[in-house]
Amino acid sequence: QVRLVESGGDLVQAGGSLRLSCAASLSTLMINAIGWYRQAPGKQRELVAEIKSGVGTNYADFVKGRFTISRDNARDTVYLQMNNMKPEDTAVYYCSANTDWGRYWGQGTQVTVSS
């Protein structure tokens, strides 16, 4: 069982910034891919950004140039730096890890961007 705990969600004004954190219960070096997804009310969950071991990073088009995903292997933590935020970024953000044992999800953290 892999436990993922997200934090950092908050209310922010349009144009502002937030940094989300995802602490994993196992070494991030043992995770094949780890990333952030989001789900807005009435919409499907969608990929925001991910890090694939041995491959690199992947971003959804709607966050390119605004969001940055990074990983601190010493802390087994993944971050999502979100800049120039827009009201349409409002959603619950989930951390997800893909391992040899399956895919795991965190409980989610609410991000709200006011106009």
Side-chain angles (χ1 to χ4, degrees), residues 45-106:
R45 192 171 297 187
E46 58 185 359
L47 174 69
V48 176
E50 66 179 346
I51 299 175
K52 289 186 174 181
S53 296
V55 177
T57 58
N58 179 40
Y59 293 92
D61 287 341
F62 53 77
V63 301
K64 284 182 180 177
R66 300 189 299 125
F67 293 8
T68 303
I69 189 171
S70 61
R71 182 174 67 184
D72 185 340
N73 293 330
R75 298 178 185 272
D76 298 327
T77 300
V78 175
Y79 303 98
L80 184 68
Q81 177 67 42
M82 304 185 290
N83 298 326
N84 190 23
M85 297 185 71
K86 304 175 181 180
E88 51 264 43
D89 294 322
T90 296
V92 177
Y93 283 69
Y94 297 91
C95 181
S96 179
N98 194 8
T99 74
D100 289 344
W101 309 279
R103 176 171 287 279
Y104 297 89
W105 295 89

